[in-house]
Amino acid sequence: MPRFILLAWALWCVAGPVAAQQPARDATAPATPANEFVVGPVELLQDVNGTPVRIVANNYFQVLGQSDGLHLASRMEIDLSDLQQKFPSILGAIPLPSDNCASYKPNNLVASLPARELRAENDHATMAIAGRVEVWSCFENPVPKTKLSWKMKCVLGICTKLPVIETSPGDPFKTRAASQSFNATLPVYFRRINDTSLGIVMGTPNVSLTGQYVFVTKGILSIANIDVNEEARKALSKAIAPNDLIKTIPEEFLVMKPSISDASFYLNNGQLFARVSANALIPPEKITEWIKLMMKKPTP
């Protein structure tokens, strides 16, 4: 970590808080304390189902006096607006069945998700989708197709074009037997795995079926035998990569063994953001080290 950041920490401890400029927030975004200094921004580029997603994180630090000593609190603000904008493409890459005659049987499934959205709601994100599942009957045509073509034939050294009848399988008989429209919302949360790592978990889907046939499972959002819960979780975990984001925190803070206290999503200027908060006790010997750094010229 650059020495000038360590020096900023030391200056903060000795001279008082250094204000960090913050962007304007929606009323739904948590308030930002002024007595913080910032490290960042740090950008991460992830490939998610063939879509490049840019995540931007800023780390804000604040020294707090508590009964057991001085603590350094970290607050990571994560801009997920690019993920939010590209979410329809990411979810659209889920391999839902699309062939209404994948095999000769009465129950070929075809599924589509024309509406796909990721938004912030209170302390979590919500995946909202709308789609349709259809059942198609497909049977082999017993009558082959025939066509007359001309091919060059050579008989006794004499070559000429002769008529040839070619056959191929007839077009199958296809009929849409049933159709089911649906709307669904699926909450998305951070899960604290331990003091230093996070995961992404999906809540219980809320599915509204608007047809008479039930092709969508409500408990686990399953569309045409595709577990959308798990596919969405994997995509969001790769896009947000919470543990990769934690590694962007300065090493000097990580060696103090910080503990993650909270992680949540929120709305900021109409866009999806996330916050990860952590806290670490500052060892007394580190305070002395930082004060000594004040006596030296910082390295750019």
Side-chain angles (χ1 to χ4, degrees):
M1 181 178 178
R3 183 179 293 178
F4 72 88
I5 297 297
L6 286 175
L7 182 57
W9 288 0
L11 289 169
W12 200 103
C13 293
V14 175
V18 178
Q21 293 186 2
Q22 304 294 323
R25 298 178 181 274
D26 288 356
T28 52
T32 300
N35 56 340
E36 298 177 319
F37 58 88
V38 62
V39 178
V42 177
E43 295 186 10
L44 293 177
L45 188 64
Q46 310 285 8
D47 182 283
V48 187
N49 294 346
T51 298
V53 177
R54 176 176 169 268
I55 304 297
V56 181
N58 282 285
N59 288 287
Y60 296 88
F61 293 92
Q62 180 183 23
V63 177
L64 302 173
Q66 298 184 8
S67 59
D68 58 345
L70 287 178
H71 285 248
L72 187 61
S74 167
R75 180 174 55 82
M76 182 186 296
E77 302 289 350
I78 309 164
D79 182 348
L80 301 175
S81 57
D82 193 50
L83 167 63
Q84 187 177 22
Q85 179 182 356
K86 295 175 178 176
F87 183 73
S89 297
I90 292 171
L91 203 64
I94 294 177
L96 295 174
S98 58
D99 188 351
N100 60 12
C101 193
S103 61
Y104 293 133
K105 61 182 183 180
N107 57 347
N108 290 282
L109 295 179
V110 174
S112 61
L113 291 175
R116 307 177 292 272
E117 181 186 5
L118 186 65
R119 57 179 182 248
E121 292 186 357
N122 298 322
D123 63 344
H124 64 275
T126 295
M127 180 182 76
I129 60 176
R132 176 182 295 273
V133 180
E134 298 175 344
V135 176
W136 286 76
S137 298
C138 183
F139 299 101
E140 185 176 8
N141 190 339
V143 180
K145 292 191 293 186
T146 62
K147 71 174 183 178
L148 181 66
S149 62
W150 295 84
K151 292 189 176 181
M152 187 67 71
K153 298 285 187 179
C154 295
V155 180
L156 300 175
I158 300 175
C159 297
T160 185
K161 286 186 177 181
L162 297 174
V164 176
I165 296 178
E166 296 180 341
T167 62
S168 61
D171 293 333
F173 297 116
K174 296 188 292 185
T175 304
R176 188 173 66 180
S179 178
Q180 172 73 68
S181 297
F182 65 92
N183 293 281
T185 56
L186 184 63
V188 183
Y189 299 92
F190 283 111
R191 183 182 67 181
R192 183 177 177 273
I193 298 174
N194 52 47
D195 284 352
T196 58
S197 62
L198 293 170
I200 300 291
V201 296
M202 315 301 281
T204 301
N206 180 14
V207 182
S208 173
L209 304 175
T210 56
Q212 59 179 322
Y213 302 99
V214 181
F215 303 131
V216 182
T217 304
K218 287 190 175 183
I220 297 176
L221 186 53
S222 177
I223 302 174
N225 299 320
I226 302 295
D227 187 347
V228 177
N229 289 48
E230 180 60 16
E231 293 296 329
R233 187 199 65 79
K234 289 190 294 186
L236 293 173
S237 295
K238 189 171 183 180
I240 300 173
N243 293 323
D244 287 349
L245 287 166
I246 290 172
K247 293 176 184 176
T248 68
I249 296 175
E251 182 180 353
E252 283 78 1
F253 181 54
L254 293 178
V255 298
M256 287 189 281
K257 299 180 180 179
S259 176
I260 297 172
S261 57
D262 182 64
S264 60
F265 296 93
Y266 66 90
L267 186 68
N268 183 3
N269 293 330
Q271 297 177 329
L272 181 66
F273 271 63
R275 167 175 289 136
V276 178
S277 300
N279 187 288
L281 178 66
I282 304 175
E285 62 272 16
K286 287 293 182 181
I287 298 176
T288 302
E289 176 184 338
W290 295 340
I291 293 175
K292 289 180 179 179
L293 283 173
M294 295 176 60
M295 308 303 296
K296 300 180 182 179
K297 181 179 179 180
T299 301

